[in-house]
Amino acid sequence: MHPKTLAVLSVGIAAFGTVAGGLLVLFKPKWEDRYLKLSISFGAGFMLAAAALAMIPASLTLTNRAPLFFLAGYLTIHFFEHTIAPHFHFGEETHREVMVNRFISYSSIFGLAIHTLFDGISIGSGFLISPSLGVLIFGAVVLHKLPEGFTISSIMLASGRSHKAAIGASGILALSTILGALLITFFKNSVNLSLPFSAGVTFYIAATDLVPIINESNKGLRNSFAFFTGILAFYLSDLLLENYLG
Ligand SMILES: [Zn+2]
Ligand SMILES: [Zn+2]
């Protein structure tokens, strides 16, 4: 497959993943929580490994200011998800009492839209370096897209909004993912900055947004196993893709 087709497909699937996650909340079957936690654990492992083993090393070859941009990426997500938004966490929103305040749900959408913008920028930046890096970052992004859509959709429902509004909110996140990918396509020269920045974003989502969900679960062992499996899965994907895509 042509690398450009692969890139467009990756961004499209990632964006669709958010909407699929949003829909999941509306048709909430009994099995969803356990599997959602397992998929979050696996995704967190894969993302952490992607940041540490692929994105950071590639960034260091682009610029010696990579550590600074990495930190900036980490702090940016913290700022938008947890400083501007007074109540935000990944996973199902069950704190209805705080969701009475509409500002809280709007600020969560805004914070997550900044995060998803960088999901798109991350995938695009990866493809600008090499097809294999692009696919690996796509893997890291797509694995947390379901929980992401799930999160925003459950925030909307907890704040008393309609099903339509819940889908709309996940749609906004899908669009902002696509917008991020388009942005880096137009500003290709910024990849020196955007790749280390994206590494910081990815690290934040994995270690600060997702790992706490694994830790607070009472099914600790099973989720930890999925977390380490995610790391191993990244390692194997990396080996495979290096051989096939370069
Ligand atoms: Zn909450
Ligand atoms: Zn995301």
Side-chain angles (χ1 to χ4, degrees), residues 51-70:
L53 302 177
M55 298 172 83
I56 293 176
S59 301
L60 289 169
T61 65
L62 294 176
T63 166
N64 54 15
R65 284 189 296 167
L68 185 67
F69 295 134
F70 175 85

Side-chain angles (χ1 to χ4, degrees), residues 18 47 81 90 112 115-120 140-142 144-145 148-149 173 177 201 205 209:
T18 312
M47 286 186 87
E81 278 186 2
F90 258 77
L112 261 182
H115 151 160
T116 50
L117 187 77
F118 286 107
D119 284 341
V141 169
V142 81
H144 80 278
K145 280 299 192 188
E148 190 177 281
L173 301 187
T177 306
V201 170
I205 300 166
D209 275 338

Side-chain angles (χ1 to χ4, degrees), residues 100-113:
V100 177
N101 179 349
R102 288 215 155 187
F103 170 73
I104 293 183
S105 55
Y106 289 129
S107 62
S108 300
I109 298 181
F110 179 68
L112 261 182

